[in-house]
Amino acid sequence: MVLELETLLGNASGSIEIGQAYLSRVPAENDVQLLSEHLFSDIEWDILLHGNLREAVAHRVREDFRKERVVRLRGWGLALTEARLCALFAIGARGPR
């Protein structure tokens, strides 16, 4: 799953830093299962609407900004979806505990 997330996120080291910052701010979401549910519970519907995972995620990011679901981390305003994807990537990058 880490490789797939890396393709969605682009910059691996930056994504890990942002993910760690998000998890520091929202420690209750430091759980793969919970983050996956937040991110992918109804992704099948978005994929049907938008054609593929990348487009479905892009749609969710636009919706987050439209609905003002924005997280401020390290001077950046990120869509909640982006922050959660980075958090999931950060958890995956550190490996099993």
Side-chain angles (χ1 to χ4, degrees):
M1 170 142 69
V2 171
L3 290 176
E4 290 87 353
L5 286 175
E6 188 172 352
T7 349
L8 285 173
L9 297 171
N11 180 340
S13 62
S15 297
I16 290 170
E17 287 181 35
I18 289 169
Q20 290 169 337
Y22 179 76
L23 293 172
S24 291
R25 176 159 307 159
V26 189
E29 291 194 17
N30 193 354
D31 178 81
V32 170
Q33 180 73 28
L34 181 61
L35 284 168
S36 296
E37 287 172 12
H38 284 312
L39 289 165
F40 305 118
S41 62
D42 61 348
I43 199 75
E44 293 85 8
W45 179 248
D46 279 352
I47 291 172
L48 285 175
L49 286 175
H50 303 287
N52 63 48
L53 183 58
R54 183 179 296 277
E55 286 301 315
V57 168
H59 171 74
R60 286 187 174 199
V61 167
R62 287 189 300 272
E63 284 298 299
D64 283 350
F65 281 115
R66 190 177 70 76
K67 294 180 179 178
E68 298 181 8
R69 293 185 299 238
V70 177
V71 179
R72 297 250 174 237
L73 297 170
R74 306 214 171 195
W76 293 86
L78 297 164
L80 182 57
T81 297
E82 293 173 305
R84 285 177 167 160
L85 277 171
C86 288
L88 194 57
F89 186 68
I91 290 171
R94 73 176 177 228
R97 291 181 169 204

